[in-house]
Amino acid sequence: MPQPEPRHAHEADLDDRPAPAPVHYAEQSLLGALLLDPHHLDDIGTLEPDHFSDHGHGELFRALRKTPAPGPHGTSPVWLNTVLDTARPHAPGLTAPYLHTLVQACPRPSHAAAYARMIRADHARRSLRSHAQHLAQTAMDTTLPHHVQATVRQADALAQFLDDLSGRFAPHPGSLPRIPPPVPARNTNEDALDEERLLIATATAHPGEASQMRWLLPEDFAHALHATLWQGLTALRQRGDPVDPITLLWEAQHRGLLPHGITPTQLLALLSTPVASPEHWGERILERALLARAQAVAARITAYCDDPANSPHQLITSSRRALADLTALRSRWHQATHPAVPRTARPARTPAPPRAGPPPRTAPLTVRTPR
């Protein structure tokens, strides 16, 4: 039985390449329409070379915009060669046969505006994914000198980009994604857990200072046990009960932390090492929560972008909702790090002295003479 001929390495590589995305064919169709009739450039709206996913397609589009359109009698080989010569220094892979491939790939040149809308939509998706990735990278980069501030600025840039996108794509019904992406778990490294333990111990030793930390919520903690202990501390303060290691131990028992979460001996040992102030550790925990929330928001937006079924307006709506979760935490972080200055009573203003002027006019007295 004859054996099949061995496949060459380059043939296997060509077969293993992923199939082009739908936008690839939209780009080919648009360029084919413009090569057939460059006057369609006036019909496609705002479109830039960097909107194309393929570098060669973008450079060919740039060349089409630079090259003066031919007369009303259609294109000519000379004009096509001029377009190709203009684009080739920036995209050497372009060839004359490929221009003919583009022309044949266009089913309806009159649909050029629709092809351009597809290219803009895919570019919006790629750009949004890039912004989300920058947000995630900034939130994870511990080498930045002002880590949280840099993350906040990147989130603002993402929000501004979404505002710009909303003006380019019209809204439509059904603007929520089909399936929400999973929320990534918090990274519970030992440094984060130590800071949370120190907060619980210090807040127990100084409950008066901890009562001012309304900006810290249980959801900001990386460990569920520490979040429940913080809830117990908050409940004791709100009820006006005494706060000390024994009362917190009793509260922990009623919240079901004993013995599954922590033993009484372990809890009392945890509460025996207060260090610094509750505000210091609370701010550290809130900063970690903000960075973790930024990474989670970036992961959600990236997952939305990776689903090709989502339209641009769906991406805008879902991304704004994801950013709203980060905005709420940012407000509490700003409240913690920039406390409001208490207002002082202003001294009573003394009335201004009267200005010099003519004496007031008075009516003359009427003197009656007796009859």
Side-chain angles (χ1 to χ4, degrees):
M1 183 175 180
Q3 298 294 327
E5 296 182 0
R7 297 171 63 190
H8 297 287
H10 69 277
E11 293 178 350
D13 292 341
L14 291 176
D15 293 340
D16 293 339
R17 288 187 304 178
V23 70
H24 174 80
Y25 300 102
E27 293 177 3
Q28 284 188 327
S29 299
L30 174 63
L31 294 173
L34 297 179
L35 289 171
L36 287 169
D37 186 358
H39 296 90
H40 283 305
L41 281 169
D42 301 330
D43 307 329
I44 62 175
T46 303
L47 191 66
E48 299 298 330
D50 60 355
H51 290 175
F52 289 76
S53 63
D54 185 278
H55 173 73
H57 291 169
E59 292 302 326
L60 184 58
F61 179 75
R62 191 191 307 275
L64 283 165
R65 292 201 309 182
K66 285 184 177 180
T67 307
H73 301 292
T75 60
S76 65
V78 176
W79 182 81
L80 292 174
N81 289 334
T82 303
V83 172
L84 184 60
D85 292 340
T86 304
R88 189 174 288 171
H90 307 283
L94 291 175
T95 61
Y98 188 65
L99 265 59
H100 293 285
T101 300
L102 296 176
V103 171
Q104 295 174 356
C106 179
R108 295 287 188 276
S110 58
H111 295 172
Y115 305 144
R117 286 195 297 270
M118 299 174 193
I119 296 171
R120 282 193 292 268
D122 193 77
H123 175 258
R125 179 191 309 276
R126 298 195 311 272
S127 300
L128 180 57
R129 183 192 293 111
S130 177
H131 275 276
Q133 291 172 348
H134 287 160
L135 176 60
Q137 292 169 0
T138 305
M140 291 186 293
D141 188 358
T142 58
T143 63
L144 295 173
H146 302 288
H147 195 185
V148 177
Q149 290 84 346
T151 302
V152 167
R153 287 194 297 270
Q154 192 61 48
D156 289 338
L158 175 55
Q160 181 60 51
F161 177 74
L162 290 172
D163 290 342
D164 295 340
L165 277 188
S166 63
R168 305 178 198 171
F169 298 94
H172 57 79
S175 56
L176 293 181
R178 299 176 302 168
I179 302 175
V183 179
R186 285 281 298 271
N187 181 16
T188 55
N189 56 48
E190 196 59 31
D191 291 340
L193 298 181
D194 283 342
E195 292 172 356
E196 294 181 359
R197 297 186 192 105
L198 290 171
L199 169 66
I200 299 298
T202 310
T204 304
H206 306 283
E209 298 180 22
S211 63
Q212 306 299 322
M213 299 168 55
R214 297 183 180 90
W215 37 263
L216 188 65
L217 301 180
E219 64 194 48
D220 300 327
F221 288 77
H223 199 290
L225 170 65
H226 302 154
T228 306
L229 287 174
W230 180 253
Q231 283 180 315
L233 270 169
T234 303
L236 288 173
R237 295 195 307 268
Q238 289 177 347
R239 296 198 302 261
D241 293 343
V243 177
D244 61 31
I246 303 303
T247 59
L248 183 56
L249 174 63
W250 192 254
E251 184 72 18
Q253 174 179 268
H254 286 286
R255 292 179 178 269
L257 295 181
L258 306 178
H260 304 289
I262 188 171
T263 66
T265 304
Q266 290 173 334
L267 179 56
L268 292 176
L270 183 153
L271 300 176
S272 65
T273 56
V275 178
S277 66
E279 289 85 354
H280 171 76
W281 301 116
E283 290 180 13
R284 293 284 298 166
I285 293 169
L286 195 59
E287 287 181 359
R288 289 184 182 273
L290 190 149
L291 296 174
R293 184 73 58 83
Q295 295 178 41
V297 167
R300 286 173 58 186
I301 296 177
T302 301
Y304 291 141
C305 294
D306 289 341
D307 186 355
N310 290 326
S311 67
H313 187 68
Q314 287 176 313
L315 294 177
I316 294 170
T317 303
S318 57
S319 298
R320 279 177 165 171
R321 292 195 173 195
L323 272 178
D325 295 338
L326 180 60
T327 301
L329 201 156
R330 282 179 57 181
S331 299
R332 293 192 285 112
W333 172 76
H334 190 273
Q335 180 183 355
T337 56
H338 301 80
V341 179
R343 295 184 178 180
T344 57
R346 295 183 178 180
R349 297 180 60 183
T350 57
R355 292 183 297 176
R361 300 175 62 183
T362 58
L365 293 177
T366 303
V367 180
R368 293 185 178 181
T369 57
R371 294 182 180 179

